[in-house]
Amino acid sequence: MTSKERGLAALKSGSQMYGMAARLIETVPIGQRAQDALITSLRELRSAMNWLEDTSDFETAHQRLDGAGRLQRRHFADNCRLTFKDGGYVQECPVALAHNRTGLSVGAIVQESECSICSRDPDDCEHIAGRLYDGEVCATRITKFGVDHVAIVGRPNMPDARIGAISVDLEHIRAELGPAFEVGMDVLCDRCLEPCAGVVRPFETSGQSFRA
């Protein structure tokens, strides 16, 4: 399956869940099935954006993700709370995170590997990676590796290797909510109720890395 095929499959799945949630919300009372469908939709549509990054279908996935996020905020606001942990707030919403086109790329050092045909060290066997042996394609299996570094990039080799949470500045929250704000109180995110400002690509041309 190509990257585009995988992205289109996620777009189809996410769109179906989005449509199902919209239909279920029309019923009274609104049940758990609608909420579950939306949660699945958000996850699938974010993945679709990742796999369709450089295709004409990226914007379709983007718009549907925005629509699903808006539907969730209007009907299931409890799912739109910032996560409070370790004295601060983090944003874990798939919609918000998908608009920041930041990913991760892991640099690793291969320490041990084996041939998929004979399980011996590839340097010590006669099989050649990529060739067919009794109907099985030979490949080198990595059995042990060490992480050398993690790079923050705009387009990771594995499209779904994306940031899972972003911290939210306390002063920004205080400025938005005013003097009634106290650290630890529930904070709702309203971004999906506002017009989309587009995606941002802070690491499009260069990466920043840190040692694992």
Side-chain angles (χ1 to χ4, degrees):
M1 182 180 290
T2 66
S3 293
K4 183 170 183 177
E5 288 172 340
R6 184 162 178 175
L8 289 175
L11 177 57
K12 179 180 179 180
S13 173
S15 298
Q16 289 174 338
M17 290 295 102
Y18 176 21
M20 177 187 295
R23 290 190 299 271
L24 290 171
I25 284 173
E26 296 300 319
T27 65
V28 179
I30 299 175
Q32 184 67 37
R33 287 182 61 204
Q35 187 170 187
D36 291 343
L38 263 182
I39 291 172
T40 300
S41 174
L42 296 178
R43 182 179 65 247
E44 289 290 294
L45 291 173
R46 184 191 183 191
S47 182
M49 285 180 65
N50 296 338
W51 288 92
L52 297 172
E53 184 77 72
D54 296 307
T55 75
S56 58
D57 297 292
F58 174 84
E59 189 56 30
T60 299
H62 173 203
Q63 291 178 8
R64 290 186 186 167
L65 180 65
D66 282 350
R70 188 159 47 249
L71 198 65
Q72 174 167 264
R73 178 62 182 84
R74 287 174 175 169
H75 298 280
F76 304 106
D78 282 347
N79 292 340
C80 297
R81 299 180 188 279
L82 299 181
T83 301
F84 182 73
K85 60 172 64 173
D86 301 325
Y89 293 88
V90 295
Q91 176 62 274
E92 297 178 319
C93 171
V95 183
L97 296 176
H99 285 73
N100 186 318
R101 308 307 298 156
T102 301
L104 301 173
S105 179
V106 177
I109 299 174
V110 177
Q111 298 170 333
E112 294 180 10
S113 61
E114 65 181 23
C115 169
S116 64
I117 303 297
C118 65
S119 298
R120 296 171 61 191
D121 188 310
D123 293 331
D124 298 329
C125 77
E126 299 179 351
H127 301 110
I128 299 175
R131 288 192 179 179
L132 202 63
Y133 296 90
D134 296 326
E136 180 181 350
V137 178
C138 178
T140 298
R141 286 195 295 247
I142 298 173
T143 56
K144 184 178 180 181
F145 70 94
V147 175
D148 177 64
H149 69 277
V150 177
I152 302 176
V153 297
R155 282 174 164 76
N157 289 332
M158 175 55 67
D160 278 333
R162 300 283 172 172
I163 300 295
I166 297 177
S167 62
V168 182
D169 183 64
L170 284 176
E171 292 308 312
H172 174 73
I173 298 175
R174 185 171 285 109
E176 289 291 322
L177 299 183
F181 170 70
E182 295 181 3
V183 175
M185 70 185 297
D186 286 341
V187 177
L188 288 176
C189 172
D190 290 338
R191 75 175 313 281
C192 288
L193 297 179
E194 303 293 332
C196 178
V199 301
V200 295
R201 302 179 183 277
F203 300 98
E204 193 69 6
T205 58
S206 64
Q208 294 186 4
S209 63
F210 58 92
R211 291 292 169 179

